[in-house]
């Protein structure tokens, strides 16, 4: 049986990329809801309806577990999805706890979508350990659109990031949490703009560790030949042009892993 990796678009490939390395004997179904991307500007009801639809679709394709490789969908819908679907569901939240553990008592900026930034889930998570108010939240919805269009380093992207991030007194910060899976593609661009004292933190590795742990726990790890199927909403991606596009994203992510 397959592992479903779900995102509103191509951001979740960053989780898939980690998963295929850590779980080389599994089969994967990557579902990018490109018909409805971006989720970060939609209502909770809309996101719940899109994700429920996608989960039903993936269930019909026999997935044994799903990673919601999308902070926005996790924020808006994970509780309801867990109630409705009786398979292991691994969600994703901005890795603020990891940032706090590594860089104790120093300031952090979390970049995410508006839904994640405004959502109760992230507020609750931060309230649990940020009693000194060291975390600032910034919504960067346009980055999702740039990422979907394979635009990672244009003048527009750099101007947008500078405008949103250089207003902080960055010498006082130690980390930037990539709280949206689409943002992993911009690490080189961000590295150029931000001072070297700011390190990047993402939740990809932690999420895949959780997936592996969960599959082990319920005895669902497999030992088959790795295969990956891609879907754009309910359509299987089989054109070579689109597959090549996905491989370009995965290659970019391999380069981004080396940047901290
Ligand atoms: N990739 C998603 C996330 O991690 C959301 C992007 C969007 O559709 O707005 O939050």
């Amino acid at each position: 049986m397959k592992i479903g990796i779900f995102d509103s678009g191509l951001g979740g490939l960053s989780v898939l990329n980690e998963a295929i390395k850590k779980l080389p004997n599994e089969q994967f179904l990557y579902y990018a809801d490109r018909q409805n991307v971006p989720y970060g500007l939609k209502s909770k009801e809309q996101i719940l309806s899109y994700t429920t639809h996608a989960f039903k679709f993936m269930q019909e394709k026999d997935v044994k577990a799903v990673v919601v490789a999308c902070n926005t969908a996790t924020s808006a819908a994970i509780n309801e999805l867990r109630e409705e679907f009786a398979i292991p569901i691994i969600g994703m939240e901005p890795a603020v706890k990891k940032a706090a553990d590594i860089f104790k008592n120093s300031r952090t900026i979390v970049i995410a979508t508006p839904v994640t930034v405004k959502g109760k889930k992230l507020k609750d998570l931060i309230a649990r350990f940020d009693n000194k108010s060291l975390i600032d939240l910034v919504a960067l919805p346009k980055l999702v659109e740039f990422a979907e269009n394979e635009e990672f380093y244009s003048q527009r992207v750099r101007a947008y990031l500078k405008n949103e991030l250089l207003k902080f007194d960055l010498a006082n910060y130690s980390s930037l949490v990539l709280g949206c899976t689409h943002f992993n593609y911009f690490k080189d661009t961000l590295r150029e703009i931000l001072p070297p004292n700011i390190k990047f933190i993402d939740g990809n590795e932690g999420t895949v560790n959780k997936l592996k742990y969960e599959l082990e726990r319920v005895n669902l790890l497999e030992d088959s030949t790795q295969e990956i199927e891609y879907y754009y909403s309910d359509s299987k991606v089989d054109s070579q042009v689109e597959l090549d596009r996905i491989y370009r994203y995965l290659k970019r992510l391999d380069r981004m892993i080396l940047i901290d």
Side-chain angles (χ1 to χ4, degrees):
M1 282 172 95
K2 297 168 197 142
I3 298 170
I5 309 265
F6 169 83
D7 184 33
S8 58
L10 299 174
L13 290 175
S14 54
V15 177
L16 176 75
N17 200 33
E18 181 78 30
I20 54 184
K21 294 184 173 103
K22 277 232 162 75
L23 297 166
N25 300 314
E26 296 287 333
Q27 298 179 319
F28 295 91
L29 184 161
Y30 184 83
Y31 187 107
D33 193 8
R34 298 199 80 209
Q35 228 165 48
N36 297 308
V37 70
Y39 280 14
L41 296 167
K42 305 272 163 59
S43 69
K44 180 180 164 70
E45 290 68 34
Q46 282 172 307
I47 296 170
L48 187 55
S49 142
Y50 302 147
T51 48
T52 303
H53 172 87
F55 265 65
K56 283 188 181 146
F57 182 86
M58 287 187 281
Q59 210 172 31
E60 275 164 28
K61 301 275 173 208
D62 247 5
V63 295
K64 60 183 174 184
V66 175
V67 179
V68 181
C70 176
N71 298 262
T72 309
T74 301
S75 171
I78 196 104
N79 296 342
E80 291 84 348
L81 293 170
R82 286 200 172 118
E83 269 168 36
E84 184 164 350
F85 298 93
I87 49 169
I89 300 175
I90 289 88
M92 240 186 141
E93 286 188 274
V96 286
K97 173 90 174 64
K98 180 174 168 189
D101 286 346
I102 300 175
F103 304 100
K104 294 188 178 50
N105 291 318
S106 61
R107 301 203 67 89
T108 294
I109 298 175
V110 179
I111 53 174
T113 68
V115 166
T116 306
V117 163
K118 286 188 215 130
K120 186 175 176 316
K121 217 171 179 359
L122 180 57
K123 297 245 156 71
D124 288 350
L125 174 69
I126 289 173
R128 284 212 290 279
F129 63 88
D130 183 29
N131 47 15
K132 291 187 187 145
S133 296
L134 295 170
I135 298 176
D136 290 302
L137 306 179
V138 182
L140 295 179
K142 280 196 197 152
L143 275 197
V144 176
E145 207 182 302
F146 286 134
E148 288 294 314
N149 293 325
E150 250 182 302
E151 186 174 339
F152 305 116
Y153 184 74
S154 63
Q155 185 53 38
R156 292 196 300 173
V157 171
R158 279 176 290 163
Y160 178 58
L161 288 172
K162 282 183 187 167
N163 186 47
E164 296 294 334
L165 298 175
L166 296 187
K167 57 191 169 203
F168 290 92
D169 185 5
L170 295 171
N172 291 326
Y173 288 77
S174 58
S175 59
L176 181 83
V177 172
L178 306 172
C180 168
T181 48
H182 280 79
F183 297 175
N184 290 283
Y185 296 109
F186 298 93
K187 276 167 88 178
D188 53 350
T189 314
L190 286 160
R191 187 69 292 158
E192 205 181 282
I193 291 167
L194 299 173
N197 55 297
I198 298 204
K199 304 295 177 203
F200 301 126
I201 304 280
D202 68 64
N204 298 332
E205 198 185 352
T207 303
V208 173
N209 288 342
K210 257 191 234 159
L211 167 68
K212 192 170 174 206
Y213 173 83
E214 193 53 30
L215 291 176
E216 257 161 12
R217 195 179 68 80
V218 294
N219 216 3
L220 280 178
L221 276 178
E222 255 157 79
D223 193 11
S224 53
T225 310
Q226 188 170 82
E227 266 174 45
I228 314 169
E229 283 177 359
Y230 297 95
Y231 287 82
Y232 285 171
S233 299
D234 294 355
S235 310
K236 186 161 181 193
V237 179
D238 42 25
S239 92
Q240 199 51 49
V241 173
E242 277 312 312
L243 288 170
D244 285 345
R245 185 175 142 83
I246 290 170
Y247 302 147
R248 278 200 302 279
Y249 276 77
L250 289 168
K251 258 202 204 134
R252 179 166 183 85
L253 288 166
D254 275 337
R255 292 204 303 278
M256 295 302 109
I257 288 171
L258 306 171
I259 300 171
D260 59 2

